[in-house]
Amino acid sequence: MSGGAGRPIGVFDSGIGGLTVVRALMERLPMEDIVYFGDTARVPYGVKSVATIGQFTAQITDFLLQQDVKMLIVACNTMAAVAAEVVRQRAGDIPVLDVIEAGARAAVAEAPGGRIGVIGTPTTINSNAYARRIHALDPTVRVYSRACPLFVPLVEEGWLDHEVTRLTAQEYLRPVLAEEVDGLVLGCTHYPLLKPLLRDVVGSGVKLIDSAYTTAEFAAASLQAAGLAHVSELPARYRYVVTDVPLRFQTIGERFLGRSLGRVEKVDW
Amino acid sequence: MSGGAGRPIGVFDSGIGGLTVVRALMERLPMEDIVYFGDTARVPYGVKSVATIGQFTAQITDFLLQQDVKMLIVACNTMAAVAAEVVRQRAGDIPVLDVIEAGARAAVAEAPGGRIGVIGTPTTINSNAYARRIHALDPTVRVYSRACPLFVPLVEEGWLDHEVTRLTAQEYLRPVLAEEVDGLVLGCTHYPLLKPLLRDVVGSGVKLIDSAYTTAEFAAASLQAAGLAHVSELPARYRYVVTDVPLRFQTIGERFLGRSLGRVEKVDW
């Protein structure tokens, strides 16, 4: 398996939000090469139909399999919610991790038998994927969900600590907080950038669950178990592939990644 | 030309915003058949690159030309801003109208030699298309522009009269209002739904310019001039073609159109 261990991890998202997962992977697994794919020409997925999301997901999975990845990480809650099976069917023996599985495990670990809030895009929330995965792990947990469609545009506008964002968060979270939840799953890869503001809004009694970090932990354990962990003296290599290089891509991308993006490749579909 | 006059008008947008233009056309030209195309699988265009928008625009134009339309209306400010020439080149002899040309003409008519504010998506505003078209008509008009990226998601959330929307509008419009403009062009087809709120924010001294209505006026004049106006005893026929039927499509679409949408056709690309 040592030849295989040098292959990159494939991470993908509908846009740039998945870079929060890449950031967590870089910190947890600094020797692993990563190929990131962001479908920036067709983002956002969170408001599209399940059929369309499935078709786009299949196309991205096939592209990353052609890059000879050793593991696939679905770093997009919307794809994980409605198209994780599409990825697993195509991936064959390649391990597949996704942010919803990771978030669900972290939630149950945080509040066994307790009360969990979940926020995400309309498609993620309507899919009920978090509640299903949480209940598969612990049927006694109570789940309270709320779609927060304005959070993605607010993050992309950079209003991370703005009165408008605070008012929006208060309105979206009111019904969830009324249920006295123990933890709140940030069920969208954009949301970790709102953590300081959300912490103020939810108060100190509610634990924020950021699936980017949990996903990186699972990736480490899974690579170790499969004998696929990469040991190298060389610095890890990172590739960023997108379907469009939109306005403000570099600025927003680096805000998500917490470091310089370097070269970005564009594919034409 | 009478055979040609019975052909439909082709109207297109990146999503559903162009339905505000369809609504104005239905009122102004009740005998005209309309084929509307909304690229709902790839919306929004306002944050994509010029190259990608050009490619998508060409594809939509070719589709509508195959429907034997007698006129094309670019009901998307972003496409009108950066890809109007793509449409005109492909359309040949078919007349092409666009919302930016219409908005620019209305602005100059409203405030000749005056001061005009323009709001729109980041791509529309960065293209400087409104300022160029306004200055081509009247070089003495002063133009003050501001991108308002949160307005589209706020309209789609239905927060048309919400404190969050009001605060957002106040923040976006502050620098434009400081220039004491005479009129404000609503340079995005979503914005007419915010008219009551924007009227409060800008005050009674600033005229709101809604290019949907101006576009319908130009369409009427242009069809008359070309001998293509349709005279019929039959009710007009409306077709709605989209690339995806997302969540909430019907609800949001009917809010834009002000009436029932009826049957929506989906094409797979």
Side-chain angles (χ1 to χ4, degrees):
Chain A
M1 298 291 265
S2 66
R7 290 176 295 155
I9 300 173
V11 182
F12 62 99
D13 180 29
S14 54
I16 53 179
L19 292 173
T20 58
V21 176
V22 172
R23 181 181 192 162
L25 287 167
M26 286 171 166
E27 290 169 11
R28 182 64 185 79
L29 294 165
M31 283 185 284
E32 299 292 345
D33 294 346
I34 297 171
V35 182
Y36 180 79
F37 190 97
D39 192 7
T40 46
R42 301 186 293 201
V43 74
Y45 284 14
V47 292
K48 301 194 203 304
S49 70
V50 170
T52 294
I53 294 167
Q55 181 196 331
F56 292 176
T57 303
Q59 206 178 359
I60 298 170
T61 303
D62 292 348
F63 176 87
L64 284 171
L65 291 172
Q66 286 159 17
Q67 313 305 309
D68 194 28
V69 294
K70 64 179 175 184
M71 166 180 274
L72 279 169
I73 299 181
V74 188
C76 169
N77 283 271
T78 303
M79 282 192 264
V82 303
E85 276 316 299
V86 171
V87 184
R88 292 198 166 89
Q89 277 166 21
R90 300 176 108 80
D93 292 338
I94 310 279
V96 177
L97 302 189
D98 74 71
V99 285
I100 292 189
E101 184 66 28
R105 282 179 186 273
V108 169
E110 193 58 46
R115 308 166 78 80
I116 292 289
V118 178
I119 55 175
T121 64
T123 300
T124 299
I125 297 305
N126 290 347
S127 76
N128 216 25
Y130 270 101
R132 273 188 283 113
R133 304 252 196 131
I134 288 171
H135 287 146
L137 297 165
D138 181 346
T140 68
V141 170
R142 300 288 294 271
V143 179
Y144 305 92
S145 304
R146 179 72 158 98
C148 304
L150 287 165
F151 279 177
V152 167
L154 284 164
V155 167
E156 298 203 342
E157 180 66 314
W159 287 10
L160 306 181
D161 183 30
H162 192 288
E163 185 56 20
V164 160
T165 313
R166 191 172 306 271
L167 274 179
T168 303
Q170 283 165 351
E171 173 142 348
Y172 281 151
L173 295 176
R174 191 173 301 123
V176 174
L177 295 176
E179 301 293 346
E180 300 188 331
V181 293
D182 306 300
L184 181 69
V185 177
L186 308 185
C188 170
T189 50
H190 276 64
Y191 298 178
L193 280 83
L194 295 176
K195 257 188 196 170
L197 181 143
L198 291 174
R199 201 179 300 285
D200 281 357
V201 171
V202 302
S204 57
V206 179
K207 168 92 177 173
L208 296 181
I209 297 158
D210 173 354
S211 56
Y213 286 95
T214 328
T215 303
E217 284 304 324
F218 282 120
S222 171
L223 290 177
Q224 204 68 48
L228 285 171
H230 190 209
V231 181
S232 163
E233 300 286 303
L234 297 169
R237 284 166 302 180
Y238 304 119
R239 279 180 67 198
Y240 305 97
V241 185
V242 295
T243 47
D244 188 24
V245 182
L247 283 169
R248 305 186 301 165
F249 176 78
Q250 210 78 13
T251 329
I252 299 178
E254 294 179 355
R255 193 184 298 149
F256 278 72
L257 197 61
R259 65 168 79 183
S260 162
L261 261 174
R263 196 169 73 86
V264 173
E265 302 162 44
K266 179 175 174 299
V267 291
D268 286 314
W269 279 355
Chain B
M1 298 291 266
S2 66
R7 291 176 294 154
I9 300 174
V11 182
F12 63 100
D13 181 29
S14 53
I16 52 177
L19 292 174
T20 58
V21 174
V22 172
R23 180 180 192 162
L25 287 166
M26 287 170 165
E27 290 169 11
R28 181 64 185 79
L29 294 164
M31 282 184 284
E32 298 293 344
D33 293 348
I34 297 173
V35 182
Y36 180 79
F37 190 97
D39 192 6
T40 44
R42 301 187 293 202
V43 74
Y45 284 13
V47 292
K48 301 193 203 305
S49 70
V50 170
T52 295
I53 295 166
Q55 182 197 329
F56 292 176
T57 304
Q59 206 178 359
I60 299 169
T61 303
D62 292 349
F63 176 87
L64 284 172
L65 291 172
Q66 286 160 17
Q67 313 307 309
D68 194 27
V69 295
K70 64 180 175 182
M71 167 180 274
L72 279 168
I73 298 182
V74 189
C76 168
N77 283 269
T78 302
M79 283 193 263
V82 303
E85 276 315 300
V86 170
V87 185
R88 291 197 167 89
Q89 278 165 21
R90 300 177 108 80
D93 292 337
I94 310 278
V96 177
L97 302 189
D98 74 72
V99 284
I100 293 190
E101 184 69 28
R105 282 177 187 272
V108 168
E110 192 60 44
R115 308 165 78 80
I116 292 289
V118 178
I119 54 176
T121 65
T123 301
T124 299
I125 297 304
N126 290 346
S127 75
N128 217 24
Y130 270 101
R132 273 187 283 112
R133 304 253 196 130
I134 288 171
H135 287 148
L137 298 165
D138 181 346
T140 67
V141 170
R142 299 288 295 272
V143 179
Y144 304 94
S145 304
R146 180 71 159 97
C148 303
L150 287 165
F151 279 177
V152 167
L154 285 165
V155 167
E156 299 202 342
E157 181 66 314
W159 287 9
L160 306 181
D161 183 32
H162 192 289
E163 185 56 19
V164 160
T165 312
R166 191 173 305 272
L167 273 178
T168 303
Q170 283 164 351
E171 172 142 348
Y172 282 151
L173 294 176
R174 192 173 301 123
V176 173
L177 295 176
E179 301 293 345
E180 301 187 333
V181 293
D182 306 299
L184 181 69
V185 177
L186 308 184
C188 170
T189 49
H190 276 64
Y191 298 178
L193 280 82
L194 294 175
K195 257 189 196 170
L197 181 143
L198 291 174
R199 200 180 302 285
D200 280 357
V201 171
V202 303
S204 58
V206 179
K207 169 91 178 173
L208 296 181
I209 297 158
D210 173 353
S211 55
Y213 287 95
T214 327
T215 302
E217 284 303 325
F218 281 120
S222 169
L223 290 176
Q224 204 66 48
L228 286 171
H230 190 210
V231 181
S232 164
E233 301 286 302
L234 297 169
R237 284 167 302 180
Y238 304 120
R239 280 181 64 198
Y240 305 97
V241 185
V242 295
T243 49
D244 189 24
V245 183
L247 284 169
R248 305 187 302 165
F249 177 79
Q250 210 80 12
T251 329
I252 300 178
E254 294 180 355
R255 194 185 299 149
F256 279 72
L257 197 62
R259 65 169 81 183
S260 163
L261 260 173
R263 198 169 72 86
V264 173
E265 302 163 43
K266 178 174 175 299
V267 291
D268 286 313
W269 279 356

